[in-house]
Amino acid sequence: MRTVNIHEAKTHLSRLIDAAMKGESFIIAKAGRPMVRVSPITAPEELQQRRLGFLAGKIRVPEDFDRMGQDDIVSLFNGPA
């Protein structure tokens, strides 16, 4: 993503807005530190934070899930039985 400083943004605001309207987002920085991101209103929102339970009903956890590989795990901690 392109970064422009405040002075450049003020000088070329119309040009930057035109570029944003064509889908090119950019960041305005002050003294090299990013301050704001400019993008067109029609741009899709960034990926939303994932929520718990989004796969509910789409996967199945086996009944013995908490015992799967138990012998291997015990042998890794205690050595061969």
Side-chain angles (χ1 to χ4, degrees), residues 4-67:
V4 297
N5 63 38
I6 290 178
H7 176 73
E8 182 182 355
K10 288 192 298 184
T11 304
H12 303 289
L13 183 60
S14 296
R15 193 176 311 156
L16 290 169
I17 290 174
D18 289 341
M21 292 304 299
K22 294 176 184 173
E24 181 186 331
S25 299
F26 60 94
I27 293 173
I28 298 177
K30 182 177 184 178
R33 184 170 156 225
M35 302 302 284
V36 296
R37 178 183 32 219
V38 179
S39 58
I41 292 176
T42 57
E45 293 292 322
E46 288 189 25
L47 296 178
Q48 294 179 350
Q49 186 175 12
R50 292 185 178 194
R51 65 189 193 290
L52 294 175
F54 71 98
L55 288 177
K58 296 184 180 184
I59 60 170
R60 188 175 80 59
V61 178
E63 291 293 324
D64 65 342
F65 175 78
D66 58 343
R67 295 182 305 277

